[in-house]
Structure formats: C-alpha cells, structure tokens
Amino acid sequence: MTEAEFLAALRLLPLHPSARGLRDDSARLIHAPLVVTTDTLVERVHFLSDDTPQDVAWKLVAANLSDIAGKGAKPDGILLNYPLSDDAWDRAFLAGLGEVLAACGTSLLGGDTVTLPAGAPRVLTVTAFGCDTPAPPRGGAGENDALWVTGTIGDAGAGLAIAQGAAGPAELAARYRRPQPRIAEGRVLSRIAHAMMDVSDGLLIDASRMGEASGLAVHLDLAAVPLSAAYRAFAGDDRDARLTAATAGDDYELLFAMPANTVPPVPATRIGRFARGTGLRLSDGAATVPLPARLGFEH
Amino acid sequence: MTEAEFLAALRLLPLHPSARGLRDDSARLIHAPLVVTTDTLVERVHFLSDDTPQDVAWKLVAANLSDIAGKGAKPDGILLNYPLSDDAWDRAFLAGLGEVLAACGTSLLGGDTVTLPAGAPRVLTVTAFGCDTPAPPRGGAGENDALWVTGTIGDAGAGLAIAQGAAGPAELAARYRRPQPRIAEGRVLSRIAHAMMDVSDGLLIDASRMGEASGLAVHLDLAAVPLSAAYRAFAGDDRDARLTAATAGDDYELLFAMPANTVPPVPATRIGRFARGTGLRLSDGAATVPLPARLGFEH
C-alpha cells in the first residue's frame, strides 16, 4: 500500500482525539503523569514469517500494553512505526490492529510509515502511553514481601513450539499468537503492590530483575509456578517442564510483590518471596534447584 | 554489543530523570501537555550504508527534534529503538548520540534494543517529546497570511549528491549529515505563527500540506526561495536549480504562516502567501510556473 492508502485505512480505526486525524507530524498528550513504553518486533526474531499479519499486529500492541498493565495504568493511545509492504499483508495487519485496539480499549495517536529495501525482514515498533497510575516501580519490593504472578506460565512458549509444527492444543498456540495484557488486573494491583512488572522475557529472568532492582534476593519455588491444564497435557509437570515454563517468554502475566500477610484482590499464585541478599534462588518444594544456564530471553 | 553492554554505555549519556537509570520497562512523563513525534530511519532508504554511525545517530535525533521545533516545544527527552550489531558501529553510534543530545539540550528517556537477522538493513526509531508549547497546528494559516521559511533550502539535497560522490562544498554535505533542528527559532515563532511545521520532505510538498490542512491555496514564489551561496555555487540559481532545491528533502527548516503585515522576530524569508482556494500555485517572479511532477518525498 502507499502511505496515503495506509493512512486512509488507519483513519477508519479508533483514533485518539490528540491524533488530529493523523494529519500532523505530532500528537498532543494532555494527561500527566503519563507512563510510556516502546517495543520493537522483528520478523524471524520476534515473530515467524508465516505468523498471520493479524496476529503480528495483535502481539505488537499487546506486548506494549502489557508493559502499561505492569504499571497499573489506563492505556492512553499508541504510536505505530510501520513498514509498508504488499497490500494483502498491510490490509491484514490493519484488521488485526483494529481488533487489538478495540479489545484493549485504546486508540491510535500517530506514528510513521517507511518502506524497507526489497527482501528486508519487517521491523515494527509500537510506543504506548498510559495514564492515571501510581506506577509501582519494579524495584519497590521489601524484605519478606511475597512474590505473586497472575494467570499461568509457559503457555506461550509451548504455543510457539506448536506454531512451529509441534503437535499440541490450539489454546496454547492462541496464548502465543494473541496474548492478553492484564490491564484490568494491573489497575487493581497497582494500588497495593510494592513492586510490579509484566512477565515477558521469562518468569525466572523477570523475577531476578525485580529482585535486583529492589536490592534483594528472590526465592522462587518451582513447585508453585502455575501451569495450565493444557500446558501439563503438552509438556507434563515434572521439574523439567516447570523449568521450561519458567524460562519461556511471552507470558504477558503480571509479577508483583506484596506484604507476606496480604492476599491479592485478583486471581494470582504465590510463587516466592524476597529476602536480604542478592540473586535468584530456586527450590522445588523442599529441594534446592541449581539455576539453569538460561533464565529467559536476554535479547 | 550485547544489550547489557549497550545499556551500560547509554547510562553514560544524559539520562532523563524519568528514565530511572534505564532499569525499567517504562518511563514516567510528568509534564503536560506534551507533544510527541516519531520517525524511523532505514538503511539504504533514509541513510547510506557508508554514512558514519555518528551521523546516523545525529540525523535520527535531529529529524525528530525538528518536528518538536515545528511545534515550538522544548525538547523533553527521547526514546530509542535500536538494532544492536557490531561493536564498532554501536560504539560510534553511541558517540554520535551523545553529541546530538548535548547539542540539542535533551536526554534519553528509554527505548528498546533488538537484534536483526544477519544482513538485514538497520531500522532505527526515535520518539521525541516536547513540552511547554502552544503547539501551532499546521492547519492554522489564514487567508492572506504570508508564508515564511527559516534558513536556506536545498542544501541537504545537494549534500546528499555530494555524499554520493558528486564534487561540491563540504558545508553542503554537512547540512545533509548534521541537520540542525530550529529549536530556538521554533520557541519564539510558536507564540506568534498561525501555522508552523518543519520542512523535511521538500519545501513544495510541505507548503502544499500546510495549505491543504488550512483549507487554503498556497502561492509560492520560486524567485524568493532562499538559497545559500554554497548551493548557488554547486547548482546555480536558475529556475531548475530553485525547483531542485524546493523539492529536495531533509532541510529541517521551519515553515510558518503569519499575518501579511508582520515581520518575524527571527531570520526568515517570505516566500509566498495563502489565498482562498485549494492547491499549490508556483510563480517565478512575474511568471507562472507549472508544478513539477514531484513536489518532494511522499515515502
């Protein structure tokens, strides 16, 4: 598509009032404070060349809104940096973009379109804004705080294997293709969590980052890591399966720290605690588990 | 470089207070209103593979800050989406990034790093924020307003030809490699201009966009288009040379509309006026000039 055709199609999607009809080089953000986050997806690195354009659009926006959810913020628009290519791909991408904007209750603020040299892998960036948040830092956990996570872990990692050809439940592939940012849960948790972040690079690496940012050690119990029935059917639930789940990426769940005697007001699982010291310590029930060589995605 | 090495190096550059040491997935913007703009540069499309990484960094940030200047805003930080590659390129890019942040008085808010498949052209995005602005729209010109432009036009276009091997003055190549966003001029002009935008895709196309957004025709006099002495020495100053200048991109000057009887408080040249009607009309002194097939870059 040409830039003009693409912009005309974008104007049919939910536009932010600040977008000025996408007829300006810049948008005006009126809320403060705002949280802002940005993620780039690269073809053959972050998504497969045969992932549908609808799913790529969904994942690009959902991955960013998951960071907004991690701050407990209300989504307040996105910017899109998009490489124009063939009409069919662009139209399918626009369809997916419309779906994810509607599903997440947000809108388009602006962006930029470019053309890539022939044959270059697609590189897509979204920058997302969120408002109305206390923005709990990832480094706010206190000694003896409990570590919790929403939802189930490892589904998207298994879903990636299924998308690449392994036999397995369609619902796992859907977790990989259409992650659901925990926006509503983030809104509630941000008012009470000491520290919060989304889990996108792998539970172990993200938990260790929260510990490091908080200046504390993290003790995480693999036996407590929540696995879905579909994941257990696909991969089992022995220690290896739990380690695989806890080091896979793309979960887009919320990881948060709360005082030990508090129960969170949304469905979540207690998986560990913070203690004086540094680093990540793994157990599996009563047994100590050596750290795997790889805790998650380090890019 | 690895992501960790790159982040460590970024932490030596001016960091925005909201960047939280680049240890969080998101930054917190506390000013409102904010203007936001984003531009993506693609290797072999927007820059040459043998442009130095320092110059690519400069241009990436300067192109975005030129949009901020077009709103008369004070730069309030940038986000960087960066593809990590070989150490030498990354280090040189970081050096250029430090130079342009210092020269433009702004700082790093955050961003994302990715790895591209081997051999893929680099794709780099910057998103820039500006605060404290009346943000004159590009569509605010009134009937009989005069059209003005800062600086000189066409230098960067000639500089691109020189960068690609043509013989010509080094100062033109410098205009292509190291554009200077008109931040200070934008701050002053935004308080009095009816409409303002930066000239990045070509004077003619950008002037026609301002006319279209304002619902008016634009009459532009090629004889009035300001050319530098270096440009005239390189390309002459006949009608063809003026048309080439007025359709080249990357000027990063400010185009603005003011009441006909007003003189702007910064150095600028009056090049035309707005009138009832639609479209762009070109003259060269007293002579009417047909529009060239191409008014500038349409992406």
Side-chain angles (χ1 to χ4, degrees):
Chain A
M1 292 172 85
T2 67
E3 182 184 30
E5 289 166 347
F6 192 76
L7 289 179
L10 285 177
R11 289 188 189 106
L12 303 176
L13 299 180
L15 291 192
H16 194 285
S18 296
R20 300 186 187 188
L22 304 178
R23 287 184 174 82
D24 210 313
D25 277 340
S26 63
R28 191 175 165 92
L29 300 166
I30 58 168
H31 297 294
L34 278 173
V35 288
V36 57
T37 186
T38 186
D39 267 310
T40 297
L41 297 188
V42 179
E43 185 175 356
R44 290 187 265 143
V45 177
H46 303 95
F47 64 92
L48 308 173
S49 293
D50 59 0
D51 283 348
T52 70
Q54 288 95 326
D55 287 344
V56 173
W58 184 285
K59 193 164 185 174
L60 177 64
V61 174
N64 275 280
L65 292 182
S66 181
D67 279 324
I68 295 295
K71 294 299 167 203
K74 179 171 176 288
D76 186 37
I78 65 156
L79 299 172
L80 170 68
N81 300 75
Y82 184 78
L84 296 166
S85 59
D86 62 278
D87 276 20
W89 213 94
D90 292 345
R91 282 187 206 292
F93 180 89
L94 285 160
L97 183 63
E99 287 172 40
V100 70
L101 290 176
C104 296
T106 192
S107 58
L108 190 67
L109 265 164
D112 192 21
T113 58
V114 294
T115 306
L116 301 181
R122 288 180 175 86
V123 179
L124 305 100
T125 291
V126 156
T127 302
F129 299 88
C131 59
D132 185 27
T133 170
R138 67 162 63 172
E143 197 180 330
N144 298 321
D145 275 0
L147 178 67
W148 295 77
V149 71
T150 59
T152 55
I153 293 294
D155 293 335
L160 171 59
I162 293 164
Q164 289 174 315
E171 69 188 270
L172 295 180
R175 283 290 306 265
Y176 163 72
R177 293 193 168 112
R178 299 261 168 150
Q180 306 289 332
R182 294 286 192 184
I183 295 167
E185 293 85 344
R187 302 279 294 150
V188 172
L189 290 170
S190 67
R191 281 148 224 295
I192 48 176
H194 286 170
M196 188 162 73
M197 62 190 290
D198 76 320
V199 184
S200 55
D201 287 336
L203 180 64
L204 297 193
I205 197 162
D206 286 330
S208 72
R209 287 169 178 161
M210 184 177 279
E212 187 183 351
S214 301
L216 292 169
V218 185
H219 296 220
L220 193 149
D221 182 4
L222 279 180
V225 171
L227 303 180
S228 68
Y231 183 85
R232 287 195 299 268
F234 177 73
D237 64 356
D238 62 8
R239 188 179 295 173
D240 272 358
R242 286 171 189 279
L243 272 172
T244 299
T247 53
D250 287 342
D251 292 307
Y252 302 112
E253 296 293 348
L254 294 178
L255 187 69
F256 57 99
M258 289 192 23
N261 57 355
T262 316
V263 175
V266 303
T269 305
R270 183 172 171 156
I271 55 172
R273 66 187 175 85
F274 294 86
R276 198 170 302 184
T278 58
L280 174 67
R281 294 185 215 179
L282 272 189
S283 61
D284 185 5
T288 297
V289 177
L291 288 189
R294 189 183 144 285
L295 298 181
F297 289 94
E298 296 219 48
H299 308 288
Chain B
M1 295 173 84
T2 68
E3 181 182 31
E5 289 166 345
F6 191 76
L7 289 179
L10 284 178
R11 288 188 189 105
L12 303 176
L13 299 181
L15 291 191
H16 194 284
S18 296
R20 300 186 186 188
L22 303 177
R23 286 183 176 83
D24 210 312
D25 277 341
S26 62
R28 191 174 165 92
L29 300 167
I30 58 170
H31 297 294
L34 277 173
V35 288
V36 56
T37 187
T38 186
D39 266 311
T40 297
L41 296 189
V42 179
E43 184 176 356
R44 291 187 265 143
V45 177
H46 303 95
F47 64 93
L48 308 173
S49 293
D50 59 1
D51 283 348
T52 71
Q54 289 94 326
D55 287 343
V56 173
W58 184 285
K59 192 164 185 171
L60 177 64
V61 174
N64 275 280
L65 292 183
S66 181
D67 279 324
I68 296 295
K71 295 298 167 203
K74 181 171 177 288
D76 186 37
I78 65 155
L79 300 171
L80 171 68
N81 300 73
Y82 184 78
L84 295 165
S85 59
D86 62 278
D87 277 20
W89 213 94
D90 292 346
R91 283 189 206 291
F93 180 89
L94 285 159
L97 183 63
E99 288 172 39
V100 69
L101 290 176
C104 296
T106 193
S107 58
L108 190 66
L109 265 165
D112 192 22
T113 59
V114 295
T115 306
L116 301 181
R122 289 180 173 87
V123 179
L124 306 100
T125 291
V126 157
T127 302
F129 299 89
C131 60
D132 185 28
T133 170
R138 66 163 64 172
E143 198 179 332
N144 298 321
D145 274 1
L147 179 67
W148 295 76
V149 70
T150 59
T152 55
I153 292 296
D155 294 336
L160 171 59
I162 294 165
Q164 289 174 316
E171 69 188 270
L172 295 179
R175 283 289 307 264
Y176 163 72
R177 292 194 169 110
R178 298 261 168 151
Q180 305 289 333
R182 295 285 191 184
I183 296 167
E185 292 86 344
R187 302 281 292 150
V188 173
L189 289 170
S190 67
R191 281 151 223 294
I192 49 175
H194 287 171
M196 188 161 74
M197 62 189 290
D198 76 321
V199 184
S200 56
D201 287 335
L203 180 64
L204 296 194
I205 198 163
D206 286 330
S208 73
R209 285 169 179 160
M210 184 178 280
E212 188 184 351
S214 301
L216 292 170
V218 185
H219 295 222
L220 194 149
D221 183 3
L222 279 179
V225 171
L227 302 181
S228 68
Y231 183 85
R232 286 194 299 267
F234 176 73
D237 63 358
D238 62 8
R239 188 180 295 172
D240 272 0
R242 288 172 187 277
L243 270 172
T244 299
T247 54
D250 286 342
D251 292 306
Y252 301 113
E253 296 293 347
L254 295 179
L255 187 69
F256 57 100
M258 288 189 26
N261 56 354
T262 316
V263 176
V266 303
T269 305
R270 182 171 170 160
I271 56 171
R273 64 187 176 85
F274 293 87
R276 197 169 302 182
T278 58
L280 173 67
R281 294 185 214 177
L282 272 189
S283 60
D284 185 5
T288 297
V289 177
L291 288 188
R294 189 182 143 285
L295 298 181
F297 289 95
E298 296 219 48
H299 309 287

